[in-house]
Amino acid sequence: MRKNEILQIYGTDYKKNTFRLLEEADLAGLIPAPGARIGIKPNLVSASEASWGATTHPEVVAGIIEYLQAHGFNNLVIAEGSWVGDTTSEAFEVCGYNALSARYGVPLLDAQKDKFHKKDCAGLQLRICNCVDTFDFLINVPVLKGHCQTRMTCALKNMKGLIPNSEKRHFHSMGLHKPIAHLSAGIRQDFILVDHICGDLDFEDGGNPVVRNCLMAARDPVLTDTLVCRLMHLDPADVPYIPMAAALGSGSMDLESARIRVIGQSSPEALPRERKIVALQDAVEEVESCSACYGYLIPALQMLKEEGLLDRLMALLPDKICIGQGFRGKTGAVGIGRCTSGFDFSVPGCPPTEDRIYRSLKEYILTHEDRPS
Ligand code: SF4
């Protein structure tokens, strides 16, 4: 398989389709030696089943393992670190990876607990988990989905699971796009298998899955993400880390020269254009917030909206709801998370859960609407 190729396959037998896609891509021919240590990096952002739209379907990883073992590759490890606010060990259990590990004898590596080191990533020093240096070949298995802050997430951003939690927070204080782009220079992805089965097009941690039953194989993370933008009706320029990663030499954005092929039956169905998140973002002032914090706030606002409470909340506030590390030490009306502890009303937690934000803001409405102005 060449670097400018992307293969797609549709259907609901995910394990069988993964195997077929990898045969077509001749993955085995890309791996340097039979004894190579192969890292498999799914997206287990939080502890939720794949049908929820956030995490990599375990049957896809099962297909990868069966393919590799059938071709004599037995030095495999599944490595992942969930987002700040969730523990990877819980995600391994809930997402079906403990069972997968037991079934195939492939160990799990919790990147949240791994040691790390600083690495020069095309001029930017980033902390990277030590496990990355032990891989001879890395297979990235991201979920194609939306993201509250970067609009989309797929191949490039999935590498964030291989940095420590402290660096994940630091990424947000650097504005996300630049460090994600530089990370692509620090962690080489040798092969990409995109889970485009039912990703949530609004929220990184799922809840509104959009079923497509598609898998994609690729070798270039920049080309992959550029194609994903097209599928999601986004301009890649609206996702700055993609052109930045291309400028750093991590891949090509040239879809015109790409060879995109469907194996078997295609599906004419396009992804919907509407995004719930756009309307909700108008209620929020976000400065350097962590993914989990923001990712919990938006669904909480959605719940308030569905109950007709969001407009009532906004009518009570002099400003937007504030969230993020940029509000540390500052004052204001209503804020989310420990970073806004100096605000008149702050939902505690780091990050506060979706349910806690929802309940706290609802309580705020009920208590403040009773007050005489
Ligand atoms: S409270 Fe601040 S540091 Fe904690 S998760 Fe939220 S944005 Fe990040």
Side-chain angles (χ1 to χ4, degrees):
M1 183 183 188
R2 296 208 184 105
K3 276 212 113 174
N4 71 337
E5 277 187 282
I6 297 180
L7 306 180
Q8 298 173 313
I9 193 166
Y10 290 85
T12 52
D13 191 337
Y14 308 130
K15 189 167 71 174
K16 194 171 132 211
N17 277 355
T18 300
F19 203 100
R20 192 172 165 204
L21 203 54
L22 298 183
E23 288 284 15
E24 192 72 29
D26 187 23
L27 172 62
L30 300 171
I31 301 172
R37 180 169 165 81
I38 301 172
I40 301 171
K41 163 66 177 79
N43 183 330
L44 306 180
V45 59
S46 54
S48 62
E49 290 179 11
S51 59
W52 193 245
T55 57
T56 302
H57 203 294
E59 285 298 284
V60 174
V61 176
I64 294 172
I65 294 170
E66 287 195 11
Y67 171 89
L68 291 171
Q69 291 180 340
H71 286 77
F73 298 102
N74 293 301
N75 190 1
L76 316 178
V77 59
I78 298 169
E80 169 63 321
S82 298
W83 69 359
V84 176
D86 259 290
T87 59
T88 316
S89 54
E90 198 187 343
F92 279 148
E93 177 59 31
V94 173
C95 301
Y97 283 70
N98 284 343
L100 202 64
S101 171
R103 195 185 340 156
Y104 293 105
V106 174
L108 303 174
L109 192 152
D110 181 348
Q112 281 182 330
K113 293 182 179 161
D114 198 15
K115 291 196 166 60
F116 53 87
H117 59 283
K118 276 202 168 177
K119 183 171 182 182
D120 179 73
C121 300
L124 190 65
Q125 295 284 317
L126 298 173
R127 280 163 285 185
I128 290 176
C129 293
N130 287 355
C131 64
V132 172
D133 287 352
T134 71
F135 303 146
D136 299 308
F137 195 88
L138 178 58
I139 301 175
N140 184 15
V141 201
V143 177
L144 183 162
K145 56 185 175 172
H147 189 275
C148 296
Q149 292 151 296
T150 60
R151 307 190 74 171
M152 57 75 72
T153 169
C154 195
L156 287 164
K157 193 172 166 297
N158 197 37
M159 289 298 105
K160 249 185 100 204
L162 296 177
I163 60 175
N165 279 356
S166 56
E167 189 65 278
K168 287 179 193 145
R169 285 198 181 91
H170 186 216
F171 263 42
H172 290 270
S173 68
M174 288 189 281
L176 264 183
H177 290 280
K178 182 178 174 185
I180 291 170
H182 280 261
L183 190 61
S184 70
I187 303 180
R188 190 192 70 243
Q189 307 177 31
D190 297 294
F191 193 83
I192 301 145
L193 199 301
V194 177
D195 174 342
H196 180 24
I197 294 171
C198 64
D200 185 323
L201 302 180
D202 290 294
F203 307 121
E204 188 189 8
D205 66 333
N208 308 276
V210 177
V211 177
R212 295 294 283 133
N213 287 326
C214 177
L215 301 170
M216 300 195 283
R219 291 181 59 198
D220 179 337
V222 177
L223 193 66
T224 304
D225 282 8
T226 307
L227 175 64
V228 170
C229 281
R230 187 161 86 183
L231 296 174
M232 293 179 70
H233 313 287
L234 295 171
D235 182 338
D238 294 335
V239 188
Y241 66 71
I242 299 175
M244 288 165 100
L248 292 172
S250 298
S252 165
M253 294 175 66
D254 185 5
L255 279 182
E256 297 312 311
S257 305
R259 192 160 169 251
I260 300 165
R261 241 176 347 118
V262 179
I263 313 298
Q265 289 274 313
S266 181
S267 167
E269 211 179 319
L271 288 173
R273 284 179 181 273
E274 303 78 43
R275 298 283 183 276
K276 288 179 185 167
I277 200 150
V278 176
L280 299 171
Q281 279 173 325
D282 286 345
V284 180
E285 179 81 35
E286 182 260 328
V287 183
E288 300 165 10
S289 70
C290 300
S291 295
C293 218
Y294 198 78
Y296 287 141
L297 170 62
I298 298 295
L301 294 182
Q302 175 69 19
M303 286 195 280
L304 291 173
K305 189 172 181 203
E306 282 164 9
E307 291 178 34
L309 292 171
L310 186 59
D311 287 344
R312 283 165 58 184
L313 173 65
M314 298 318 292
L316 291 169
L317 301 183
D319 305 306
K320 293 184 178 187
I321 300 162
C322 296
I323 184 168
Q325 298 172 63
F327 290 104
R328 279 184 184 150
K330 297 198 172 152
T331 55
V334 170
I336 307 298
R338 192 172 64 196
C339 291
T340 61
S341 58
F343 278 46
D344 297 342
F345 181 88
S346 171
V347 180
C350 181
T353 62
E354 182 180 318
D355 185 57
R356 186 170 203 177
I357 296 171
Y358 162 75
R359 283 189 288 107
S360 298
L361 292 179
K362 191 169 178 175
E363 196 181 313
Y364 180 91
I365 297 165
L366 299 178
T367 52
H368 285 73
E369 277 185 339
D370 287 344
R371 285 188 188 169
S373 53

